[in-house]
Amino acid sequence: MPVYSMTGYASGQNGPVGSHSEAEARPTAAGRLGVEIRSVNSRFLDLTFKLPEELRQHETALRELLTGKLKRGKVEVRAAIENTAQAGVVEPSVKLLQRLNGVQDGIKAWLPSARDLSVADVLRLAGGDSAARGDWGGDLLDVTGKALDALMSARQREGARLAKMLEAHLAQLRTLVEQAGPLIPQLVEQQRARFLERWQEAMGLTGGTLPEAAQDRALNEATAFAIRIDVAEELTRLNSHLDEIERLLKKGGEIGKRLDFLIQELHREANTLGSKSAALELTRIGVDMKVLIEQMREQVQNIE
């Protein structure tokens, strides 16, 4: 499965302007319907609908459509109906004309100086009445479905870019782990050599013999130092986490939360490695690791 980002934008319309197919170009008597979908990252799926009054009854159907494909992200859906000249002149019904005539008589009874309705007024009111009474359900779901497909494509492209960046960071982290591995035996050997020098100095001060208790203490100090700076376990866990992240990126799908947890574990191991550092080179490696892990964290926040 592909890796999806939670960031994306798509729009669609059923009117003639900007149409890309005959289905999208199908005009309606009431005007043109436009839909926009915007998506940003979020821990859960958060849907927001901004619909005109005549479309609000379809919010439940829209919600079902989106939840069928989207799993995470803060998603905003905007829809609007625009009256267009291409929509043509809407012929008013007899019932509407009778209602307008009755309303006009009632108004003139209270306001004798009010002007009569013009033909343009009647046509405008007829167009608004048609838009209010029109059934936009089919058009709305059709246009939103196409916009949703475009959004998924955009999120997939962005997800592929994020996955590629994460894979590059994984390769750099593996290189740093390989560099850190040989440093520990070298540090232990250097410390052992320093303890031997201290023994020899002590033996020279005591006339060539070193008390057994002093020898035992020196050996204990060397052993404690080796244990204290040993990061073999941390390096093993780092490699394990890197392997799991790589596996998830190849698997795809809903991996954002798993990746976020693994990034936290990587950061924990890098902190431990830095705290055990007994050499400048190992400190540098720990700092470089944390910089890379923080960059990965920022990218992972956008993966579904």
Side-chain angles (χ1 to χ4, degrees):
M1 293 181 66
V3 175
Y4 288 98
S5 168
M6 286 186 282
T7 302
Y9 171 83
S11 64
Q13 57 187 14
N14 72 336
V17 178
S19 299
H20 301 288
S21 68
E22 293 182 1
E24 290 177 320
R26 177 169 49 84
T28 65
R32 185 174 64 220
L33 171 68
V35 176
E36 289 185 345
I37 307 178
R38 304 173 187 270
S39 174
V40 296
N41 62 316
S42 176
R43 292 185 60 191
F44 307 101
L45 181 59
D46 182 9
L47 300 178
T48 302
F49 297 92
K50 297 188 176 181
L51 309 174
E53 188 65 33
E54 55 266 39
L55 299 181
R56 289 182 182 175
Q57 60 181 317
H58 304 295
E59 180 176 325
T60 300
L62 289 177
R63 187 177 296 274
E64 292 178 357
L65 179 64
L66 268 66
T67 53
K69 291 189 176 182
L70 302 176
K71 305 304 177 184
R72 291 179 65 199
K74 183 176 178 60
V75 183
E76 179 182 275
V77 179
R78 289 177 176 266
I81 299 172
E82 178 185 356
N83 292 323
T84 61
Q86 292 87 343
V89 177
V90 179
E91 182 177 353
S93 65
V94 175
K95 184 177 180 180
L96 175 62
L97 290 174
Q98 291 174 343
R99 189 165 72 247
L100 289 176
N101 188 56
V103 171
Q104 177 177 255
D105 290 343
I107 292 175
K108 297 196 72 173
W110 288 94
L111 301 172
S113 60
R115 68 176 180 84
D116 293 336
L117 287 171
S118 66
V119 174
D121 293 333
V122 173
L123 291 177
R124 177 174 53 81
L125 292 170
D129 182 70
S130 175
R133 292 184 293 104
D135 182 9
W136 289 95
D139 288 326
L140 180 60
L141 291 178
D142 180 60
V143 174
T144 304
K146 293 173 182 177
L148 180 58
D149 290 340
L151 177 71
M152 295 299 294
S153 297
R155 286 169 57 136
Q156 181 177 344
R157 291 192 298 270
E158 178 67 11
R161 187 185 69 83
L162 293 176
K164 187 174 181 180
M165 293 177 62
L166 289 173
E167 288 171 354
H169 283 62
L170 289 177
Q172 296 180 60
L173 283 172
R174 290 189 187 279
T175 300
L176 292 174
V177 171
E178 292 175 359
Q179 293 175 358
L183 291 178
I184 304 305
Q186 296 175 12
L187 292 173
V188 173
E189 180 60 28
Q190 292 172 6
Q191 189 66 16
R192 189 183 69 83
R194 283 197 291 268
F195 281 133
L196 286 176
E197 292 177 1
R198 289 171 56 187
W199 291 351
Q200 292 173 357
E201 293 175 359
M203 290 175 65
L205 294 175
T206 58
T209 61
L210 188 65
E212 184 176 351
Q215 295 183 24
D216 291 342
R217 180 173 180 181
L219 290 174
N220 288 337
E221 289 180 1
T223 302
F225 175 80
I227 294 174
R228 187 169 65 252
I229 69 169
D230 183 18
V231 293
E233 186 176 351
E234 284 76 13
L235 296 180
T236 299
R237 285 198 292 264
L238 280 169
N239 274 322
S240 176
H241 296 329
L242 295 176
D243 290 341
E244 181 63 12
I245 292 175
E246 186 174 4
R247 186 189 70 81
L248 288 174
L249 291 175
K250 291 179 180 179
K251 174 187 174 184
E254 301 173 45
I255 60 174
K257 292 183 180 180
R258 293 283 304 277
L259 288 177
D260 188 52
F261 170 76
L262 290 170
I263 292 298
Q264 293 179 32
E265 294 301 305
L266 283 178
H267 197 272
R268 189 195 313 275
E269 301 303 335
N271 273 335
T272 304
L273 186 145
S275 66
K276 290 185 175 182
S277 174
L280 183 60
E281 181 63 16
L282 195 58
T283 300
R284 181 195 64 78
I285 290 175
V287 171
D288 289 346
M289 281 185 176
K290 286 193 280 189
V291 170
L292 287 171
I293 293 169
E294 188 58 35
Q295 292 173 352
M296 292 177 67
R297 185 200 302 276
E298 294 176 0
Q299 304 304 326
V300 164
Q301 296 298 321
N302 289 318
I303 294 181
E304 185 176 61

